Amino acid sequence: MLIELELSALASTADQNDRSMLILKEKGGDRILPVMMSTRRAVTMMMRRQIPLSLPVAASVADAYNLLLLQFDITVKRIEFTGIANGIFLCKIVAERDGQECVVDTCQAHDALVVACTSVCPITIDSELFEAQYMRKTGDNSFAININVLTRKMLEEALEHAVATENFEVATQIRDELARREQVHNPIEDANPYAE
């Protein structure tokens, strides 16, 4: 079963590498999903959500792609989160042309979300994946995120902090996650080693 998500908020991170957390909220629910991305992309998406640009003016590369799709009668039907690998959420883009559904199987979530904001289409996630990845509330104003949504750099910084504060249980969990990532095949990294 697919759950529809909507852009909800933008949160800064302690990471010093221009990273932000885009927060997606379950439509009609309270659960939220964090997606790490560059601050520039996250701010652009939040602005687009609030002030959609009217076509046919292309103010960005995403607008130009959307105009191209419209020119060839291709409609983006939905964006669907499909998994996570090495701290990067993966999505597929489901489109339609001449009544036929076509799918771009694997792309990074932040790119798919730009397409969703530009094409004004639903953002969805499988209920099992959402159950495994959503942020759990741990207190009045605190949340816990799954370790696998953190970037490698964030994990390395957290490991340094855990070792420095002698929190060896957390350090072990972080080392295990870093080791697991060495073994996991990530099609995005294979295709583009310079990807964000």
Side-chain angles (χ1 to χ4, degrees):
M1 178 177 86
L2 291 179
I3 295 170
E4 191 168 344
L5 304 171
E6 56 192 359
L7 297 179
S8 176
L10 181 61
S12 61
T13 65
D15 187 359
Q16 301 299 315
N17 294 315
D18 183 40
R19 306 293 288 175
S20 289
M21 186 185 309
L22 186 68
I23 306 294
L24 296 144
K25 186 175 182 216
E26 178 181 22
K27 206 167 191 175
D30 293 324
R31 297 182 296 177
I32 56 178
L33 183 74
V35 179
M36 300 294 183
M37 65 180 60
S38 76
T39 300
R40 178 184 52 81
R41 284 185 192 213
V43 168
T44 299
M45 277 186 266
M46 291 303 290
M47 287 174 47
R48 177 57 56 87
R49 179 189 74 142
Q50 294 171 354
I51 311 167
L53 296 176
S54 57
L55 295 174
V57 176
S60 68
V61 172
D63 292 329
Y65 277 120
N66 197 42
L67 285 173
L68 185 65
L69 293 175
L70 292 172
Q71 179 71 33
F72 290 98
D73 199 27
I74 298 171
T75 306
V76 179
K77 302 305 278 181
R78 73 178 179 279
I79 302 304
E80 187 176 321
F81 281 81
T82 57
I84 186 165
N86 297 340
I88 300 171
F89 272 106
L90 305 175
C91 290
K92 69 179 176 183
I93 301 171
V94 180
E96 185 178 286
R97 181 173 186 208
D98 298 330
Q100 296 273 41
E101 191 174 274
C102 48
V103 177
V104 175
D105 277 326
T106 305
C107 62
Q108 294 179 72
H110 57 256
D111 291 329
L113 290 170
V114 169
V115 171
C117 290
T118 306
S119 300
V120 191
C121 71
I123 302 164
T124 63
I125 187 168
D126 179 77
S127 57
E128 270 186 51
L129 178 60
F130 191 49
E131 182 62 34
Q133 297 299 328
Y134 79 93
M135 287 175 58
R136 271 111 176 122
K137 192 166 185 149
T138 57
D140 287 341
N141 293 315
S142 60
F143 292 87
I145 62 174
N146 200 323
I147 194 169
N148 68 354
V149 304
L150 299 175
T151 64
R152 179 175 301 283
K153 180 74 174 156
M154 290 173 152
L155 287 172
E156 290 166 353
E157 288 173 2
L159 178 60
E160 285 178 22
H161 182 271
V163 170
T165 59
E166 297 183 1
N167 190 340
F168 300 116
E169 183 179 337
V170 170
T172 299
Q173 291 174 343
I174 295 169
R175 278 193 197 106
D176 290 348
E177 175 65 15
L178 287 166
R180 188 191 66 73
R181 288 187 185 191
E182 293 298 321
Q183 305 302 315
V184 173
H185 170 73
N186 184 343
I188 297 295
E189 287 179 349
D190 291 347
N192 182 5
Y194 305 105
E196 166 184 353

